[in-house]
Amino acid sequence: MACPSTIVPLTVVRHEAELVVPAKSTPKEIKQLSDIDDQEGLRFQVPVIMFYKKSPSMEGKDPVRVIREALAKTLVFYYPFAGRLFEASNRKLMVDCSGQGVLFIEADANVGLHHDMLQPPSPYLDQLLYNVPGSDGIIGCPLLLIQVTRFVCGGFVFALRLNHTMCDAAGLFQFLSTISEFARGEPNAPSVTPVWEREVFNARNPPRITCPHHEFEEVRDTSMAMDNNNLIQRSFFFGDEELIALRKQLPPCLRNCSKFEVITACLWRCRTIALEVDPDKIVRVSCLVTARVVKKGLCIPLGFYGNTLVYPAALSTSEMLCRKPLRYAVELVQSAKGQMSEEYVRSVTDLMAIKGRPLYTVAGNYIVSDTTRAGFDKIDFGWGNPVYGGVAGAISLISFYVAFKNSKGEDGIVVPICLPPPVMERFQHELHKMTQLGGVEDSYVIKPTKIQSML
């Protein structure tokens, strides 16, 4: 059942954006991104937002000043973030470590923090993370934009926009953790020394594609394309009741599958039904997976903060996915994740070099990323952990899974998704049916549940 959020009127007064540079002199050099970093699919900006309550122990301290100073100290160690990207031959991305700095905005809001502000997608993102004109490109632009907004209740919001080619969620968490250590005055900051070593994810010599990569297959089918200019975004909450309802639709041998697997299977199926894809068309779900899960062979050093992401895909005809029970989709998602190995990661890296860093398949694809354990909800600048910390919303065909506590105090996972308006209504209807167990062949009768939808 849809439960639209209350939109609290918000006015934000911003100071002029400034460039924060490293607190000390840093090396002026050129650094090369890896073949995983500079793939076309990571050439976008990702927003992260964290909400903090007032802390009596920090009375008299200004979060803007504390974080600005900590950021400058952090950039001494993470100085590539203060540089700018440029393209070398064959569109290879390089970092000019020029020390120009990252964009920083100081701001003040006219209201206190409210729970409905926390729900991704944030209805106030444009105000809490202002897009400085000319700053959102991939080449020649600041690699980070940070805005700290004070609220009248004494709380504040830390919002950040990251050029994704520089790092993944684990790398960003490491960077933010260092800022938080300096902000708290930790004497041994940084506790983890950053390591560049992007060559860990460079192509082999000679490169060779040794695994199937359905996530990069070229599909020219305009019938499955979505108009990115005609999308709305809503989020859906999966708590214990929703997960129990979905697991009840699975045979006993699959009921111990992960939350990610069952939620992904459910969303993929409902989304495909809502899009009304022709029965014989091939649809995909691509699961963003970090190579850090590969325990042997890759030798990722402690402190490495580059991208480690690949996105193996599951495939099905639309008809099979929509008609078969949920177990069918779950097993496909499990199979896709099961492709992960050292050889698979090496094969992806080599594919980037051989095929010129192609974009992932767009038509008929849905990309999901589990950030529930990314740690953004554990970044403490001295005011304690945020009441919400995570990605601020979905991006086109990419959904991020975020840990979330709803207004009832229930812990769960919230998933933002982008769809055209009429498709969104059908999607919401199908998702509601799945949690009500209507028309599912191998389901069991249980207490009806709700999916909380947040505009």
Side-chain angles (χ1 to χ4, degrees), residues 266-288:
C266 169
L267 293 175
W268 183 29
R269 191 171 186 265
C270 292
R271 184 178 182 273
T272 303
I273 294 171
L275 285 166
E276 298 180 339
V277 179
D278 290 345
D280 61 337
K281 299 292 186 183
I282 297 295
V283 291
R284 291 168 170 78
V285 64
S286 295
C287 305
L288 275 166

PDB file of all heavy atoms in Angstrom, residues 266-288:
ATOM      1  N   CYS A 266      12.530 -10.823  -6.533  1.00  0.00           N
ATOM      2  CA  CYS A 266      11.195 -10.221  -6.472  1.00  0.00           C
ATOM      3  C   CYS A 266      11.123  -8.946  -7.313  1.00  0.00           C
ATOM      4  O   CYS A 266      10.193  -8.776  -8.125  1.00  0.00           O
ATOM      5  CB  CYS A 266      10.859  -9.924  -5.010  1.00  0.00           C
ATOM      6  SG  CYS A 266       9.402  -8.897  -4.773  1.00  0.00           S
ATOM      7  N   LEU A 267      12.070  -8.051  -7.142  1.00  0.00           N
ATOM      8  CA  LEU A 267      12.049  -6.783  -7.874  1.00  0.00           C
ATOM      9  C   LEU A 267      12.195  -6.994  -9.373  1.00  0.00           C
ATOM     10  O   LEU A 267      11.516  -6.336 -10.181  1.00  0.00           O
ATOM     11  CB  LEU A 267      13.168  -5.873  -7.366  1.00  0.00           C
ATOM     12  CG  LEU A 267      13.038  -5.366  -5.927  1.00  0.00           C
ATOM     13  CD1 LEU A 267      14.284  -4.585  -5.541  1.00  0.00           C
ATOM     14  CD2 LEU A 267      11.801  -4.492  -5.766  1.00  0.00           C
ATOM     15  N   TRP A 268      13.103  -7.896  -9.756  1.00  0.00           N
ATOM     16  CA  TRP A 268      13.328  -8.172 -11.180  1.00  0.00           C
ATOM     17  C   TRP A 268      12.034  -8.679 -11.827  1.00  0.00           C
ATOM     18  O   TRP A 268      11.644  -8.225 -12.912  1.00  0.00           O
ATOM     19  CB  TRP A 268      14.446  -9.193 -11.310  1.00  0.00           C
ATOM     20  CG  TRP A 268      14.857  -9.546 -12.701  1.00  0.00           C
ATOM     21  CD1 TRP A 268      14.784  -8.761 -13.816  1.00  0.00           C
ATOM     22  CD2 TRP A 268      15.435 -10.787 -13.129  1.00  0.00           C
ATOM     23  NE1 TRP A 268      15.290  -9.429 -14.915  1.00  0.00           N
ATOM     24  CE2 TRP A 268      15.687 -10.672 -14.521  1.00  0.00           C
ATOM     25  CE3 TRP A 268      15.767 -11.979 -12.476  1.00  0.00           C
ATOM     26  CZ2 TRP A 268      16.256 -11.716 -15.266  1.00  0.00           C
ATOM     27  CZ3 TRP A 268      16.341 -13.004 -13.206  1.00  0.00           C
ATOM     28  CH2 TRP A 268      16.578 -12.873 -14.587  1.00  0.00           C
ATOM     29  N   ARG A 269      11.380  -9.585 -11.156  1.00  0.00           N
ATOM     30  CA  ARG A 269      10.135 -10.167 -11.685  1.00  0.00           C
ATOM     31  C   ARG A 269       9.034  -9.112 -11.785  1.00  0.00           C
ATOM     32  O   ARG A 269       8.373  -8.968 -12.827  1.00  0.00           O
ATOM     33  CB  ARG A 269       9.701 -11.311 -10.767  1.00  0.00           C
ATOM     34  CG  ARG A 269       8.582 -12.190 -11.292  1.00  0.00           C
ATOM     35  CD  ARG A 269       8.432 -13.380 -10.367  1.00  0.00           C
ATOM     36  NE  ARG A 269       7.474 -14.361 -10.868  1.00  0.00           N
ATOM     37  CZ  ARG A 269       6.189 -14.387 -10.515  1.00  0.00           C
ATOM     38  NH1 ARG A 269       5.735 -13.492  -9.660  1.00  0.00           N
ATOM     39  NH2 ARG A 269       5.384 -15.312 -10.996  1.00  0.00           N
ATOM     40  N   CYS A 270       8.843  -8.333 -10.715  1.00  0.00           N
ATOM     41  CA  CYS A 270       7.790  -7.312 -10.715  1.00  0.00           C
ATOM     42  C   CYS A 270       8.076  -6.217 -11.731  1.00  0.00           C
ATOM     43  O   CYS A 270       7.159  -5.725 -12.406  1.00  0.00           O
ATOM     44  CB  CYS A 270       7.657  -6.704  -9.323  1.00  0.00           C
ATOM     45  SG  CYS A 270       7.004  -7.835  -8.073  1.00  0.00           S
ATOM     46  N   ARG A 271       9.325  -5.833 -11.844  1.00  0.00           N
ATOM     47  CA  ARG A 271       9.700  -4.791 -12.800  1.00  0.00           C
ATOM     48  C   ARG A 271       9.452  -5.245 -14.230  1.00  0.00           C
ATOM     49  O   ARG A 271       8.961  -4.476 -15.067  1.00  0.00           O
ATOM     50  CB  ARG A 271      11.182  -4.434 -12.586  1.00  0.00           C
ATOM     51  CG  ARG A 271      11.713  -3.286 -13.442  1.00  0.00           C
ATOM     52  CD  ARG A 271      13.171  -3.036 -13.080  1.00  0.00           C
ATOM     53  NE  ARG A 271      13.729  -1.928 -13.822  1.00  0.00           N
ATOM     54  CZ  ARG A 271      14.283  -2.009 -15.017  1.00  0.00           C
ATOM     55  NH1 ARG A 271      14.326  -3.197 -15.628  1.00  0.00           N
ATOM     56  NH2 ARG A 271      14.791  -0.949 -15.617  1.00  0.00           N
ATOM     57  N   THR A 272       9.786  -6.492 -14.531  1.00  0.00           N
ATOM     58  CA  THR A 272       9.593  -7.019 -15.874  1.00  0.00           C
ATOM     59  C   THR A 272       8.112  -7.090 -16.225  1.00  0.00           C
ATOM     60  O   THR A 272       7.697  -6.732 -17.337  1.00  0.00           O
ATOM     61  CB  THR A 272      10.241  -8.413 -15.996  1.00  0.00           C
ATOM     62  OG1 THR A 272      11.635  -8.318 -15.666  1.00  0.00           O
ATOM     63  CG2 THR A 272      10.101  -8.947 -17.410  1.00  0.00           C
ATOM     64  N   ILE A 273       7.289  -7.535 -15.274  1.00  0.00           N
ATOM     65  CA  ILE A 273       5.841  -7.573 -15.495  1.00  0.00           C
ATOM     66  C   ILE A 273       5.319  -6.163 -15.748  1.00  0.00           C
ATOM     67  O   ILE A 273       4.523  -5.922 -16.666  1.00  0.00           O
ATOM     68  CB  ILE A 273       5.126  -8.211 -14.290  1.00  0.00           C
ATOM     69  CG1 ILE A 273       5.503  -9.688 -14.159  1.00  0.00           C
ATOM     70  CG2 ILE A 273       3.610  -8.063 -14.420  1.00  0.00           C
ATOM     71  CD1 ILE A 273       5.001 -10.337 -12.874  1.00  0.00           C
ATOM     72  N   ALA A 274       5.775  -5.209 -14.926  1.00  0.00           N
ATOM     73  CA  ALA A 274       5.288  -3.837 -15.034  1.00  0.00           C
ATOM     74  C   ALA A 274       5.682  -3.188 -16.360  1.00  0.00           C
ATOM     75  O   ALA A 274       4.933  -2.376 -16.909  1.00  0.00           O
ATOM     76  CB  ALA A 274       5.819  -3.002 -13.873  1.00  0.00           C
ATOM     77  N   LEU A 275       6.854  -3.547 -16.885  1.00  0.00           N
ATOM     78  CA  LEU A 275       7.311  -2.981 -18.150  1.00  0.00           C
ATOM     79  C   LEU A 275       6.608  -3.595 -19.357  1.00  0.00           C
ATOM     80  O   LEU A 275       6.768  -3.111 -20.479  1.00  0.00           O
ATOM     81  CB  LEU A 275       8.833  -3.171 -18.292  1.00  0.00           C
ATOM     82  CG  LEU A 275       9.693  -2.242 -17.433  1.00  0.00           C
ATOM     83  CD1 LEU A 275      11.140  -2.739 -17.380  1.00  0.00           C
ATOM     84  CD2 LEU A 275       9.646  -0.818 -17.963  1.00  0.00           C
ATOM     85  N   GLU A 276       5.873  -4.669 -19.117  1.00  0.00           N
ATOM     86  CA  GLU A 276       5.122  -5.353 -20.180  1.00  0.00           C
ATOM     87  C   GLU A 276       6.036  -5.720 -21.361  1.00  0.00           C
ATOM     88  O   GLU A 276       5.734  -5.453 -22.524  1.00  0.00           O
ATOM     89  CB  GLU A 276       3.948  -4.487 -20.639  1.00  0.00           C
ATOM     90  CG  GLU A 276       2.942  -4.233 -19.529  1.00  0.00           C
ATOM     91  CD  GLU A 276       1.760  -3.378 -19.955  1.00  0.00           C
ATOM     92  OE1 GLU A 276       1.883  -2.648 -20.964  1.00  0.00           O
ATOM     93  OE2 GLU A 276       0.712  -3.441 -19.278  1.00  0.00           O
ATOM     94  N   VAL A 277       7.150  -6.349 -21.024  1.00  0.00           N
ATOM     95  CA  VAL A 277       8.118  -6.775 -22.030  1.00  0.00           C
ATOM     96  C   VAL A 277       7.540  -7.936 -22.844  1.00  0.00           C
ATOM     97  O   VAL A 277       6.894  -8.835 -22.283  1.00  0.00           O
ATOM     98  CB  VAL A 277       9.443  -7.209 -21.361  1.00  0.00           C
ATOM     99  CG1 VAL A 277      10.461  -7.669 -22.399  1.00  0.00           C
ATOM    100  CG2 VAL A 277      10.003  -6.062 -20.519  1.00  0.00           C
ATOM    101  N   ASP A 278       7.749  -7.932 -24.144  1.00  0.00           N
ATOM    102  CA  ASP A 278       7.272  -9.019 -24.995  1.00  0.00           C
ATOM    103  C   ASP A 278       7.766 -10.361 -24.461  1.00  0.00           C
ATOM    104  O   ASP A 278       8.917 -10.474 -24.020  1.00  0.00           O
ATOM    105  CB  ASP A 278       7.763  -8.840 -26.429  1.00  0.00           C
ATOM    106  CG  ASP A 278       7.091  -7.662 -27.129  1.00  0.00           C
ATOM    107  OD1 ASP A 278       6.065  -7.193 -26.609  1.00  0.00           O
ATOM    108  OD2 ASP A 278       7.598  -7.220 -28.180  1.00  0.00           O
ATOM    109  N   PRO A 279       6.926 -11.394 -24.494  1.00  0.00           N
ATOM    110  CA  PRO A 279       7.271 -12.677 -23.860  1.00  0.00           C
ATOM    111  C   PRO A 279       8.582 -13.296 -24.329  1.00  0.00           C
ATOM    112  O   PRO A 279       9.274 -13.940 -23.534  1.00  0.00           O
ATOM    113  CB  PRO A 279       6.083 -13.575 -24.228  1.00  0.00           C
ATOM    114  CG  PRO A 279       4.960 -12.631 -24.462  1.00  0.00           C
ATOM    115  CD  PRO A 279       5.568 -11.405 -25.058  1.00  0.00           C
ATOM    116  N   ASP A 280       8.940 -13.121 -25.605  1.00  0.00           N
ATOM    117  CA  ASP A 280      10.141 -13.777 -26.123  1.00  0.00           C
ATOM    118  C   ASP A 280      11.397 -12.945 -25.964  1.00  0.00           C
ATOM    119  O   ASP A 280      12.492 -13.380 -26.335  1.00  0.00           O
ATOM    120  CB  ASP A 280       9.939 -14.125 -27.601  1.00  0.00           C
ATOM    121  CG  ASP A 280       9.699 -12.883 -28.456  1.00  0.00           C
ATOM    122  OD1 ASP A 280       9.266 -11.854 -27.899  1.00  0.00           O
ATOM    123  OD2 ASP A 280       9.948 -12.949 -29.676  1.00  0.00           O
ATOM    124  N   LYS A 281      11.295 -11.746 -25.399  1.00  0.00           N
ATOM    125  CA  LYS A 281      12.465 -10.894 -25.222  1.00  0.00           C
ATOM    126  C   LYS A 281      13.311 -11.378 -24.038  1.00  0.00           C
ATOM    127  O   LYS A 281      12.794 -11.887 -23.044  1.00  0.00           O
ATOM    128  CB  LYS A 281      12.054  -9.443 -24.975  1.00  0.00           C
ATOM    129  CG  LYS A 281      11.259  -8.802 -26.112  1.00  0.00           C
ATOM    130  CD  LYS A 281      12.114  -8.603 -27.349  1.00  0.00           C
ATOM    131  CE  LYS A 281      11.337  -7.824 -28.412  1.00  0.00           C
ATOM    132  NZ  LYS A 281      12.107  -7.671 -29.651  1.00  0.00           N
ATOM    133  N   ILE A 282      14.631 -11.177 -24.156  1.00  0.00           N
ATOM    134  CA  ILE A 282      15.544 -11.529 -23.070  1.00  0.00           C
ATOM    135  C   ILE A 282      15.671 -10.348 -22.118  1.00  0.00           C
ATOM    136  O   ILE A 282      15.934  -9.218 -22.538  1.00  0.00           O
ATOM    137  CB  ILE A 282      16.942 -11.897 -23.612  1.00  0.00           C
ATOM    138  CG1 ILE A 282      16.859 -13.135 -24.500  1.00  0.00           C
ATOM    139  CG2 ILE A 282      17.922 -12.132 -22.456  1.00  0.00           C
ATOM    140  CD1 ILE A 282      16.452 -14.392 -23.774  1.00  0.00           C
ATOM    141  N   VAL A 283      15.483 -10.603 -20.831  1.00  0.00           N
ATOM    142  CA  VAL A 283      15.682  -9.582 -19.801  1.00  0.00           C
ATOM    143  C   VAL A 283      16.818 -10.027 -18.894  1.00  0.00           C
ATOM    144  O   VAL A 283      17.110 -11.215 -18.763  1.00  0.00           O
ATOM    145  CB  VAL A 283      14.396  -9.340 -18.991  1.00  0.00           C
ATOM    146  CG1 VAL A 283      13.339  -8.674 -19.852  1.00  0.00           C
ATOM    147  CG2 VAL A 283      13.854 -10.637 -18.390  1.00  0.00           C
ATOM    148  N   ARG A 284      17.443  -9.028 -18.262  1.00  0.00           N
ATOM    149  CA  ARG A 284      18.605  -9.282 -17.414  1.00  0.00           C
ATOM    150  C   ARG A 284      18.447  -8.601 -16.072  1.00  0.00           C
ATOM    151  O   ARG A 284      17.786  -7.580 -15.958  1.00  0.00           O
ATOM    152  CB  ARG A 284      19.895  -8.716 -18.066  1.00  0.00           C
ATOM    153  CG  ARG A 284      20.368  -9.418 -19.296  1.00  0.00           C
ATOM    154  CD  ARG A 284      21.466  -8.576 -19.977  1.00  0.00           C
ATOM    155  NE  ARG A 284      22.127  -9.318 -21.040  1.00  0.00           N
ATOM    156  CZ  ARG A 284      21.610  -9.517 -22.246  1.00  0.00           C
ATOM    157  NH1 ARG A 284      20.427  -9.021 -22.553  1.00  0.00           N
ATOM    158  NH2 ARG A 284      22.281 -10.203 -23.155  1.00  0.00           N
ATOM    159  N   VAL A 285      19.129  -9.153 -15.078  1.00  0.00           N
ATOM    160  CA  VAL A 285      19.406  -8.425 -13.854  1.00  0.00           C
ATOM    161  C   VAL A 285      20.897  -8.571 -13.601  1.00  0.00           C
ATOM    162  O   VAL A 285      21.445  -9.686 -13.648  1.00  0.00           O
ATOM    163  CB  VAL A 285      18.569  -8.930 -12.651  1.00  0.00           C
ATOM    164  CG1 VAL A 285      18.904 -10.374 -12.286  1.00  0.00           C
ATOM    165  CG2 VAL A 285      18.760  -8.020 -11.446  1.00  0.00           C
ATOM    166  N   SER A 286      21.584  -7.448 -13.416  1.00  0.00           N
ATOM    167  CA  SER A 286      23.027  -7.448 -13.180  1.00  0.00           C
ATOM    168  C   SER A 286      23.290  -7.089 -11.727  1.00  0.00           C
ATOM    169  O   SER A 286      22.801  -6.072 -11.231  1.00  0.00           O
ATOM    170  CB  SER A 286      23.723  -6.432 -14.099  1.00  0.00           C
ATOM    171  OG  SER A 286      23.599  -6.802 -15.453  1.00  0.00           O
ATOM    172  N   CYS A 287      24.049  -7.923 -11.051  1.00  0.00           N
ATOM    173  CA  CYS A 287      24.316  -7.744  -9.623  1.00  0.00           C
ATOM    174  C   CYS A 287      25.713  -7.163  -9.433  1.00  0.00           C
ATOM    175  O   CYS A 287      26.718  -7.835  -9.722  1.00  0.00           O
ATOM    176  CB  CYS A 287      24.217  -9.070  -8.887  1.00  0.00           C
ATOM    177  SG  CYS A 287      22.636  -9.932  -9.143  1.00  0.00           S
ATOM    178  N   LEU A 288      25.775  -5.920  -8.986  1.00  0.00           N
ATOM    179  CA  LEU A 288      27.077  -5.328  -8.700  1.00  0.00           C
ATOM    180  C   LEU A 288      27.708  -6.062  -7.522  1.00  0.00           C
ATOM    181  O   LEU A 288      27.146  -6.104  -6.426  1.00  0.00           O
ATOM    182  CB  LEU A 288      26.923  -3.847  -8.364  1.00  0.00           C
ATOM    183  CG  LEU A 288      26.876  -2.888  -9.559  1.00  0.00           C
ATOM    184  CD1 LEU A 288      26.385  -1.518  -9.128  1.00  0.00           C
ATOM    185  CD2 LEU A 288      28.244  -2.774 -10.201  1.00  0.00           C
TER     186      LEU A 288
END
